[in-house]
Amino acid sequence: MAAKKKVPQKNKIAAKKVASKAKAKSSGKGKAWTFPKNSLEESLRVARAIEDKNAGNPMRAADLGRALGFNRPADWRFQDLLKSSNQYGLTSGSGANATVELDSIGEDIVAPSSSGQRQQALVNAFRNVEEFRKVEDFYGGKRLPEDEFFENTLVRDFSIPRDRVRTFIDVFTSNLKYIKPFAGLSSESESSVPESIDGADNNSGKTIAPKAKENERIRQFLDTCFVMMPFGEWFNRYYQEIYVPAIREAGFEPVRGDELFTTGSVVEQIWEQVAKSPVLLADLTGKNANVFYELGLAHAARKPVVFTASNIEDVPFDLRHLRVIVYDIREPNWAEKLSNEVTEYLKNAKIEPEKSIPQPFRDFQNGEE
């Protein structure tokens, strides 16, 4: 039996060095993050806090952190959020002792002079991250491949470190999902990249107004208002012709359960929308079981809810002291009256949310036991 040939020790050492270098090259350890750890929607919290809490003027990191719910400006979660906001071009300034101010992209999103300006600024923020822009160009008009192949392409062709590639995919796809409705593009397919997310003519390079598909709205507002109501022919008409314009007039983007297209549990999607919406609207007509279940989630989340009903008897007795709009379709101009009242009540609920939250949830809202 022939003896095995021994591999020289120096060859083993050389092989280990090659393997170590290859592993280090595909790892992000010790390297700065070149793309945001947070989604665009999450990062907008920074720009919105500056606009809402300080009229758009620069803020000290300590004050900004408290406005966002962080007790210490050195909190790593707050610092990650600040850095992400900077990488999107929303704000300038990072670090525990920094003064953070709005940049032009951030200002155009949180305080635009038109909905078109906001739409374009959101796209600009997304493309401000070089890696996102390159991947968008590469896959424009195509479906994203399965995770394994997408990950390999990102590592090999775009130099995304292997240990950061999942974060990249999560943030990239979340951003596409968030931006598409503002550009009038279908959000049903989460696994595809549109040819252009800003309506740009790829041949001329000019930006054209986005065109929504039939029965699909172009999103205009950052804040959403989740609508809890029955489905059906007449209710669908009430939603499209009365509630949608009224909610937008109040400065919110209307969202209803049947407009959610993401995969996963329906209850989780509803809970997500409840949590995101500063104010909600519930039509209690007919005492629909699904509506009351969603209403329970809203109260558990301590969210202000404006109620409508065609019959006061459909409103539980212990909720009638809250903001309730009773409409009668037999009255002249009932639809216009309902629309105006919904707009007014939503605006008031945003200013004084506690008046639309029942006890004991109102006390929880104020931090009382």
Side-chain angles (χ1 to χ4, degrees), residues 1 14-15 41 53 76 93 111 127 142 158 182 226 229 237 239 247 259 272 277 295 306 321 325 331-332 348-349:
M1 186 174 180
E41 184 176 14
K53 303 297 183 182
W76 64 268
R127 290 178 176 163
K142 304 171 186 174
F158 297 96
F182 285 98
F226 186 60
M229 65 182 296
R237 289 192 62 181
Y239 177 64
I247 292 168
E259 296 173 342
E272 180 183 2
S277 299
L295 177 59
V306 170
H321 67 287
I325 303 170
E331 290 185 0
N348 291 337

Side-chain angles (χ1 to χ4, degrees), residues 46 61 64 78-86 91 93-95 100:
V46 177
L64 180 58
F78 175 54
Q79 290 302 317
D80 280 351
L81 199 59
L82 273 186
K83 185 174 181 182
S84 293
S85 181
N86 289 352
T91 56
S94 61
V100 186

Side-chain angles (χ1 to χ4, degrees), residues 255-268:
V255 179
R256 201 168 71 156
D258 58 342
E259 296 173 342
L260 306 178
F261 295 111
T262 56
T263 57
S265 166
V266 174
V267 174
E268 288 180 2

Side-chain angles (χ1 to χ4, degrees), residues 2 19 24 44 93 106 146 159 246 249 267 281 309 318 353:
L44 276 169
E146 296 298 326
S159 301
E249 186 65 26
V267 174
L281 177 69
D318 51 359

Side-chain angles (χ1 to χ4, degrees), residues 98-171:
T99 297
V100 186
E101 59 182 311
L102 283 175
D103 281 351
S104 58
I105 293 178
E107 189 174 0
D108 287 349
I109 294 174
V110 299
S113 57
S114 68
S115 60
Q117 186 180 45
R118 169 175 285 156
Q119 291 159 2
Q120 187 59 50
L122 285 165
V123 174
N124 291 344
F126 174 77
R127 290 178 176 163
N128 199 61
V129 181
E130 185 178 5
E131 287 89 343
F132 291 166
R133 184 176 68 251
K134 288 180 178 179
V135 174
E136 179 207 349
D137 291 340
F138 185 80
Y139 285 107
K142 304 171 186 174
R143 288 183 62 85
L144 295 177
E146 296 298 326
D147 280 357
E148 179 186 356
F149 304 114
F150 191 26
E151 289 179 11
N152 292 338
T153 301
L154 291 172
V155 172
R156 185 181 63 247
D157 296 342
F158 297 96
S159 301
I160 304 298
R162 176 69 67 179
D163 54 353
R164 297 177 182 177
V165 73
R166 279 309 319 171
T167 301
F168 182 96
I169 292 174
D170 290 343
V171 175

